[in-house]
């Protein structure tokens, strides 16, 4: 690779990909986690339906075992994943012209304030700020159904 003081990303990235990541396989997703991943979007409106206990029971696992399998398969724990799905659903509602309250309700949040706090924490801006900037802003792309 050469002198460490003069290395640049364009020099290092191909080497890392070719040498270190050449035999890397994507993690296998357990079939029970796949089933949950398919079902979760349909369960978002009901808080009880996406609780760890309910989801784990739906695939016949204990909550702790399911959480371990989910985190290993997906790369993040279930709760942040569910929040991300809810934010996506709320953002779609906003993109269609819905109010923040409509978006919060559609996404399964308890109220607009909870949706806004979560949106700001995970996206870095409030829903209103994103609406003003537009959904096609540089780092925020949304696929509207």
């Amino acid at each position: 690779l050469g002198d460490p003081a003069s290395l640049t990303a364009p020099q290092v990235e191909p080497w890392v990909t070719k040498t270190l990541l050449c035999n890397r396989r994507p993690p296998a997703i357990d079939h029970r986690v796949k089933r949950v991943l398919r079902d979760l979007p349909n369960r978002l409106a009901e808080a009880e339906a996406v609780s760890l206990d309910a989801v784990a029971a739906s695939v016949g696992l204990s909550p702790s075992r399911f959480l371990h399998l989910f985190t290993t398969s997906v790369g993040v724990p279930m709760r942040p994943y569910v929040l991300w799905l809810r934010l996506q659903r709320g953002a779609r509602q906003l993109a269609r012209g819905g109010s923040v309250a409509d978006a919060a309700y559609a996404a399964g949040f308890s109220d607009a304030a909870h949706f806004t706090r979560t949106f700001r924490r995970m996206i870095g801006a409030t829903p209103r700020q994103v609406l003003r900037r537009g959904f096609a802003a540089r780092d925020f792309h949304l696929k509207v159904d």
Side-chain angles (χ1 to χ4, degrees):
L1 286 175
D3 179 25
S6 64
L7 287 179
T8 62
Q11 292 172 300
V12 175
E13 286 176 22
W15 178 82
V16 168
T17 302
K18 184 179 164 195
T19 308
L20 298 179
L21 301 177
C22 65
N23 293 324
R24 184 172 182 249
R25 288 181 292 231
I29 298 179
D30 184 272
H31 69 281
R32 293 161 291 197
V33 173
K34 281 183 185 177
R35 190 166 71 193
V36 167
L37 290 173
R38 275 192 311 269
D39 294 343
L40 270 177
N42 301 324
R43 303 172 92 171
L44 290 178
E46 302 171 41
E48 296 290 322
V50 292
S51 73
L52 177 58
D53 290 339
V55 172
S58 75
V59 291
L61 293 171
S62 71
S64 62
R65 181 66 187 137
F66 175 75
L67 190 55
H68 173 76
L69 273 177
F70 189 93
T71 304
T72 302
S73 295
V74 178
V76 295
M78 191 179 95
R79 187 162 186 252
Y81 183 81
V82 168
L83 278 176
W84 182 244
L85 288 178
R86 285 187 166 159
L87 285 179
Q88 288 177 4
R89 180 172 281 182
R92 275 194 297 276
Q93 187 71 23
L94 290 171
R96 291 181 185 132
S99 68
V100 174
D102 292 339
Y105 177 75
F109 284 89
S110 57
D111 56 30
H114 183 209
F115 173 69
T116 299
R117 281 191 310 273
T118 305
F119 199 97
R120 181 177 34 231
R121 187 180 77 239
M122 293 183 77
I123 305 294
T126 66
R128 204 170 299 285
Q129 290 168 331
V130 170
L131 283 173
R132 268 190 241 124
R133 269 193 349 216
F135 279 99
R138 190 177 127 246
D139 293 325
F140 191 84
H141 300 283
L142 179 67
K143 181 178 170 185
V144 179
D145 299 330

